[in-house]
Every structure is written in structure tokens, then in C-alpha cells.
Amino acid sequence: MKEILQQIKDVVVAGFKEAGYDEKYGMVTLSNRPDLCQFQCNGAMAAAKEYKKAPIAIANEVTEKLTGNPMFSKCEACPPGFININLCDDFIADFVNQMANDGERFGVDKVVAPKKIMIDYGGPNVAKPLHVGHLRSAIIGESIKRTARFMGDEVIGDVHLGDWGLQMGLIITELKLRKPELVYFDENYDGAYPTEPPFTISELEEIYPCASGKSKEDETYKEAAMTATYELQHGRRGYQALLSHILNVSVSDLKKNYEKLDVTFDLWKGESDAQEYIPDMVQKMKDDGFAYISEGALVVDVKEETDTKEVPPCMILKSDGASLYNTTDLATLVWRMKDYNPDSVIYVVDKRQELYFTQVFRCAKKTGIVPADKNLYFVGFGTMNGKDGKPFKTRQGGVMRLEYLLKEVEDKMLEKIKENGTMDDEMASVTAQVVGLSAVKYGDLSNQASKDYIFDIDRFTSAEGNTGPYILYTIVRCKSILSKAGARSFDGDILPAHSESERALQLELTKLMASLTAAYEDMAPHKICAYIYDLANAFNRFYHDTKILTEEDENVKASYLKLLNVTRGVLEKSIDLLGFKAPERM
Ligand code: ARG
């Protein structure tokens, strides 16, 4: 369906042309004075300069051409030269009917030229527990992925595990200390290694912080870990076997955690998968004259003339020849291009890594790893803070683990549900999970991603205000009215609005397309949140003003129910794109 603003614009543009003015002045926006009109055109003000005429004179000439158009109930020139527009109730209702009759798409067309997109998000580090810092990447990335898919793009989500580097050497060193008899440490062993891992996930999670602590205090321990890392990276069989155990145990635990978050990845690739591409990549950078030695390290210059801040060279290899986080990210782009050839790659990562990604992106383009016509995007997110304004911590002051955080929110929800006392225990706990997830995800996504935000459990779990539970509450309200009415099919039409609040609700529904398009193009899930908050408010106002179930006129009642159902559908589709669901009851 053609977007509603576009439909209005087409008519207004024609009006300008007919009155003898350039069509570029026919721009239309939502009104910033909804008390006066629904839409407005300020083009006459701009045209005044070119045509050396009073803006109001131009506005009058244009509105003269537009009056009588069946789309508008009002189209008037207002001093000093605005054109205020209201749509006809029939036109709005007709638009909403088309949305309602369009299945799961609600009138939103797929993009004309779909792209292949790869999204790098999640980014958990193997053997270290998921913490709230990884939460944002998973939540935002999942929503960007779902939105792009809905708009018709082919999207591949890659978790990009942090599975390469010193943490592996640390774990191996600690394990060797604890269980030196394990066959993995016997350099003369050339048989097959056991298929059962020599540790559980809880052991693994305890080993890493222990080893990391020791290495900070004990130089020899640290050196042993570095040696183990080096040997692992240079093919020591026993260590590679340990690495795959660490990976397996860790990944199956991670999958459980992501499942709780309703986050899924198409690829479970990691930093280690990029290593085989490094030697050729580095050689080519040297051969092509991009990489040179500076202070012992191999670097590529990436500064540009227009830079206002210094962008240091991208370091490819350290002076001892070891690869870095950069090297791995560049080599990852090598296989991404070779195996998938996406049109763009989107990275959803902490905004503190922005300069780093600027270097990586420029280096990848400059050296030809990524062709010039491809796009690399960095979606940087801010920090999740506690109520004290400092990065979110546990009560004991440690890093909050994701599963505890979710549990805390769920418990809070459960408390509230039990206070209402209308559900049995099992239903209450399932509902608490569903609603709790909405609280966490909406609390995050309703902020512009790049901003820091305060994780406020009391506010996020409240059923009032701009929260996930409020949106779910609205959906559940629609569902419960529909089920009380026994409404199953919606054959009739939504009639032109009977009241101001109904008109406002219908008008709000028409904005779905523009909101989703903006959220998609700007990779900005908060735009979906802002839209559904307005929509939920418009619905609740309508609901409070309107007797729906007791409406005597059957046609009007059927129209209300269909309107309710499309509101429910649009809200449910939108929260699906945000990455959560609504329960049946609350
Ligand atoms: N593992 C990294 C971290 O915990 C995030 C990875 C982000 N993605 C990337 N391609 N570098 O900070």
C-alpha cells in the first residue's frame, strides 16, 4: 500500500503544480499542532522567496485547487502561509480497512530492492558468563534483524563468539594445575581424545575468574598462560582438543541463555574461525603496499583528510607477529565476503568500540577486503546503568550475570501477578516470564540505542507509563474484549469514526508504515516503541470513551471489534519485531 503521507503529498504536489508553482514545495508532514489539524504543508512559506509573493497568497491559490478533493475534510490556508489539512473520515477508515484486510503485513509492503545483510551481534565471550553488557547487543541486534527480515531483506545473524585469545590459555593453565594427569597435557600422546569434556559449565565458569585473578598477581602464571595461548594457536593437538570441549560446553550454555531471551542466531561462528584467513590476508596487504612496519608492528594507515579527530593507523600484527582483535575482525570480513557476499554488515557493539570499528572499516575498504559498493555499519549502544547512574552491578558490587538479572525481573513480575490473585501458580510463573522479558527488552529498546540508560526494575515492570507491560496490558485488553464478544471473523468494514477518540485511534494506525520504515532505515528500534506507545495510548482513550460490548447497532459493534482486532494485530506484530510476545491473560 502506498504510505498515507505519500498519498496526501501526491495530491498537494498536484495542487502546487496546478496553481503554477514548483512541485518541490508540496511537502507534507504530520501536524505539530494536532489540536488544529492532522497534517500540514509549509511549502508556501518556502515558495514565497522564489516567487516573491506573500506566502498566504500562494497558500490560498493552492488550497483553492485542493478544495473539493474527496480525500480532505479540511484544507485551509492559515496566516502567515501554512496549509492545514484534515483527512476525511471515510478516507481514514478506508485506509485502516485495507490494513486490516492485509493479513500479517497490515499494508506494509516489502522493500523494492531487498538486500542481503549480515548482523554481527551478541558477541559473548566463551567460558565467561554472559553479563548485562552483552544483553544490549543481543536485544538490539535481534530487533534490527527481525525488522529487516519483515521488510524483505535476507538477513543472516552471526553471534561472533569471543573464542580466541588469552582467556583460553588461562583456562588451559588452570586446568593443567588442577588435573595434570589429563591426557590433553601429555605431549607424547597421539591417540584420539575423549569425547566427554573434562569439566562442567559451572566448573568452567569458576575456572576463568580464578585463573584471570591469579595471572594478575603472578608473573610466571601469566607467562604460562601466554605460552599455552601461543601453543594452542600454533596447533598443539591436546590444547586444540581442549578448546573444542570449552567451546561445546560454553556454546550449549549460551544457547540456553539466548533462548530465554528469545534471541536466535543463524551462525555460531567465532573469532577462531577467522584465523585460517589471516596469513593470506596479511601477505596481500603487504604485497599491495598497504601494510608497513611502524615501531616494529605491521600497520595500515586509515586517516582521512576530513578527520576532525585523530584516527590512528590500524594495527595488523604486533611486533612479536601475534594477531590482534583487529586482525580477527578483518579476517572475519574475508570469510563473510567469500562465503556470503552480503550487501552490508551491521555491527551492534558497545559504542566505546566506535573508533576501533572506524579503523577496521576503513582498513577493510582500503585494502579491498570489502568492495567499495558494500556498506559497513556500526550501531553503537550506550551503557546500562543502575539507579545510581553507574554501570549496573549486583547488590554485592560484582558484574551482574544475565540470568540473575532476568530472574530478578521475573520475581518482581510474579509478585505483582500474585497480588492480583487471579491465576494459578503455574500460569502465574509462565506469565511472569513472558511479561518480565517485555519489561527488560522494552526498557532497553525504548531508548535511543546510543544513549546510556538507567535500568529501573520498578519502572520497567510497571503496567503504567511507557513500558513493556503497559503495551502487553493493552494487547491483553483487546484480546479479552474480542473473546468476550466471541468475535472470530471480521467480514464487515471498519466504519468512519464515530468520535474524536476513535478518529485519533484510526489515524494512529495509519502511521504504522512510516514508523516501521523509519525504524528499518535508521536501524532504530526505539522508533517502533515510540509508535506503539502512541498507539496504545490512543487505543486506551478510545476504550475508556466507548461502550463496545454493549453497543446496540450491530454494524457499529462489528466495526469496533474489527478496529480492536487490527489494533491488536499491529501491536502484536510490532512487539514481535522488538523480540517479545504477549500472554493470553495478565
Ligand atoms: N566479544 C566482544 C566483547 O565482548 C564483542 C564482539 C563484537 N563484534 C566484533 N566483530 N568485534 O566486547
Side-chain angles (χ1 to χ4, degrees):
M1 261 167 90
K2 195 191 277 179
E3 216 261 286
I4 196 155
L5 258 176
Q6 190 59 49
Q7 296 195 29
I8 302 170
K9 203 177 143 190
D10 290 349
V11 173
V12 174
V13 161
F16 269 84
K17 281 213 287 212
E18 233 179 282
Y21 298 103
D22 194 302
E23 61 179 80
K24 70 170 183 254
Y25 295 114
M27 62 274 228
V28 177
T29 56
L30 288 177
S31 157
N32 49 25
R33 287 288 305 275
D35 52 324
L36 295 181
C37 58
Q38 298 164 346
F39 300 90
Q40 67 188 59
C41 166
N42 301 348
M45 318 277 270
K49 289 192 196 79
E50 185 182 329
Y51 295 95
K52 302 205 170 41
K53 259 192 189 176
I56 189 73
I58 300 177
N60 273 322
E61 288 170 50
V62 175
T63 45
E64 222 164 85
K65 303 285 177 209
L66 295 177
T67 335
N69 188 301
M71 198 164 163
F72 303 142
S73 65
K74 164 168 121 174
C75 178
E76 45 180 49
C78 282
F82 299 114
I83 298 175
N84 291 351
I85 297 168
N86 277 351
L87 292 174
C88 253
D89 287 344
D90 292 275
F91 181 81
I92 301 176
D94 182 52
F95 193 92
V96 177
N97 274 308
Q98 290 182 54
M99 288 175 69
N101 297 335
D102 186 33
E104 283 292 291
R105 296 209 65 86
F106 305 100
V108 181
D109 293 333
K110 294 189 177 181
V111 290
V112 194
K115 290 182 302 259
K116 189 192 233 185
I117 301 178
M118 206 149 178
I119 308 189
D120 178 314
Y121 70 113
N125 298 315
V126 160
K128 300 189 201 174
L130 271 185
H131 61 74
V132 294
H134 294 113
L135 179 69
R136 297 211 68 191
S137 179
I139 292 179
I140 298 165
E142 180 73 15
S143 177
I144 294 178
K145 180 186 79 178
R146 293 184 184 202
T147 307
R149 252 182 212 160
F150 181 69
M151 296 307 284
D153 284 341
E154 181 188 344
V155 192
I156 305 154
D158 179 15
V159 71
H160 199 73
L161 290 172
D163 61 355
W164 196 248
L166 189 61
Q167 91 237 43
M168 299 301 161
L170 282 166
I171 293 167
I172 293 173
T173 304
E174 184 57 29
L175 203 63
K176 192 170 178 181
L177 217 65
R178 294 185 186 187
K179 302 179 182 173
E181 72 288 354
L182 288 177
V183 60
Y184 305 93
F185 302 115
D186 178 356
E187 283 191 80
N188 299 318
Y189 182 77
D190 58 5
Y193 290 103
T195 47
E196 276 303 301
F199 41 68
T200 63
I201 183 69
S202 337
E203 281 170 303
L204 200 54
E205 283 181 354
E206 178 265 323
I207 290 176
Y208 173 75
C210 162
S212 156
K214 282 188 189 172
S215 77
K216 282 183 191 121
E217 272 152 28
D218 181 346
E219 251 328 289
T220 15
Y221 190 95
K222 186 170 178 191
E223 260 163 45
M226 283 164 67
T227 311
T229 310
Y230 182 89
E231 289 179 334
L232 166 71
Q233 299 187 347
H234 290 78
R236 183 163 162 175
R237 276 185 73 242
Y239 289 4
Q240 290 190 330
L242 276 178
L243 174 67
S244 56
H245 284 311
I246 298 174
L247 271 175
N248 287 339
V249 170
S250 216
V251 165
S252 55
D253 183 60
L254 282 169
K255 283 191 175 159
K256 267 188 239 149
N257 272 291
Y258 282 123
E259 202 174 302
K260 277 200 201 117
L261 277 176
D262 210 348
V263 168
T264 51
F265 298 94
D266 306 290
L267 297 179
W268 279 82
K269 297 275 198 179
E271 295 174 346
S272 65
D273 293 295
Q275 303 309 315
E276 59 181 291
Y277 299 97
I278 292 179
D280 285 355
M281 175 184 84
V282 171
Q283 192 56 49
K284 188 164 183 309
M285 283 180 180
K286 286 186 191 161
D287 293 348
D288 295 346
F290 292 119
Y292 67 96
I293 303 285
S294 163
E295 293 168 29
L298 188 72
V299 302
V300 172
D301 280 331
V302 291
K303 61 172 188 287
E304 286 172 7
E305 260 174 38
T306 48
D307 289 342
T308 49
K309 267 193 235 137
E310 195 198 332
V311 183
C314 189
M315 205 196 279
I316 309 297
L317 294 177
K318 287 199 278 195
S319 46
D320 62 1
S323 60
L324 300 123
Y325 187 46
N326 303 19
T327 331
T328 300
D329 262 319
L330 288 164
T332 300
L333 279 167
V334 172
W335 70 251
R336 284 183 176 161
M337 289 300 146
K338 180 172 87 60
D339 296 348
Y340 293 89
N341 195 30
D343 299 301
S344 49
V345 186
I346 301 170
Y347 292 79
V348 186
V349 185
D350 191 312
K351 72 175 175 199
R352 285 170 292 190
Q353 294 189 30
E354 177 156 23
L355 175 62
Y356 163 78
F357 276 101
T358 303
Q359 293 173 297
V360 169
F361 291 176
R362 286 185 183 181
C363 183
K365 286 274 175 103
K366 182 173 179 179
T367 58
I369 292 173
V370 173
D373 61 339
K374 311 265 180 192
N375 290 307
L376 299 170
Y377 297 105
F378 176 73
V379 178
F381 53 81
T383 309
M384 176 174 141
N385 289 322
K387 272 189 182 167
D388 57 0
K390 300 204 185 92
F392 198 85
K393 293 271 159 63
T394 58
R395 282 197 204 100
Q396 292 74 33
V399 179
M400 177 63 113
R401 286 174 54 153
L402 184 63
E403 53 210 283
Y404 299 150
L405 177 103
L406 288 181
K407 182 87 179 62
E408 210 170 308
V409 176
E410 260 174 57
D411 288 348
K412 184 99 201 171
M413 275 327 310
L414 192 60
E415 217 177 274
K416 295 192 181 199
I417 293 170
K418 287 204 164 146
E419 268 166 31
N420 293 343
T422 54
M423 277 183 206
D424 63 45
D425 283 1
E426 201 191 315
M427 176 116 172
S429 86
V430 175
T431 308
Q433 262 179 37
V434 176
V435 185
L437 190 60
S438 82
V440 172
K441 286 195 164 183
Y442 192 94
D444 188 303
L445 293 171
S446 53
N447 304 286
Q448 194 179 324
S450 60
K451 299 222 166 99
D452 297 348
Y453 75 96
I454 291 178
F455 189 90
D456 180 343
I457 290 202
D458 295 319
R459 189 170 81 74
F460 288 5
T461 55
S462 165
E464 276 149 47
N466 190 7
T467 68
Y470 170 67
I471 305 292
L472 298 195
Y473 203 72
T474 307
I475 296 173
V476 168
R477 173 172 278 166
C478 291
K479 287 188 186 180
S480 111
I481 301 168
L482 290 166
S483 92
K484 273 191 201 134
R488 257 175 230 103
S489 63
F490 302 93
D491 299 330
D493 274 341
I494 295 170
L495 303 172
H498 302 83
S499 65
E500 188 48 48
S501 64
E502 187 184 0
R503 180 174 304 114
L505 171 59
Q506 292 194 13
L507 201 58
E508 205 53 53
L509 280 164
T510 65
K511 297 176 192 163
L512 170 70
M513 234 168 278
S515 308
L516 284 191
T517 307
Y520 163 70
E521 286 174 354
D522 302 344
M523 295 174 267
H526 73 277
K527 298 193 172 175
I528 300 180
C529 296
Y531 170 67
I532 58 175
Y533 182 52
D534 286 347
L535 179 60
N537 282 335
F539 171 76
N540 286 314
R541 255 176 258 129
F542 164 73
Y543 169 79
H544 284 294
D545 282 6
T546 316
K547 294 198 170 57
I548 300 171
L549 290 169
T550 52
E551 171 60 49
E552 279 163 20
D553 183 326
E554 282 303 319
N555 286 334
V556 176
K557 184 170 166 184
S559 157
Y560 285 161
L561 292 175
K562 183 161 176 167
L563 181 62
L564 228 79
N565 192 48
V566 66
T567 304
R568 177 204 58 76
V570 166
L571 288 172
E572 284 202 294
K573 174 49 78 188
S574 302
I575 63 169
D576 177 51
L577 300 181
L578 295 173
F580 56 92
K581 297 184 187 67
E584 282 312 305
R585 292 208 290 135
M586 248 170 107

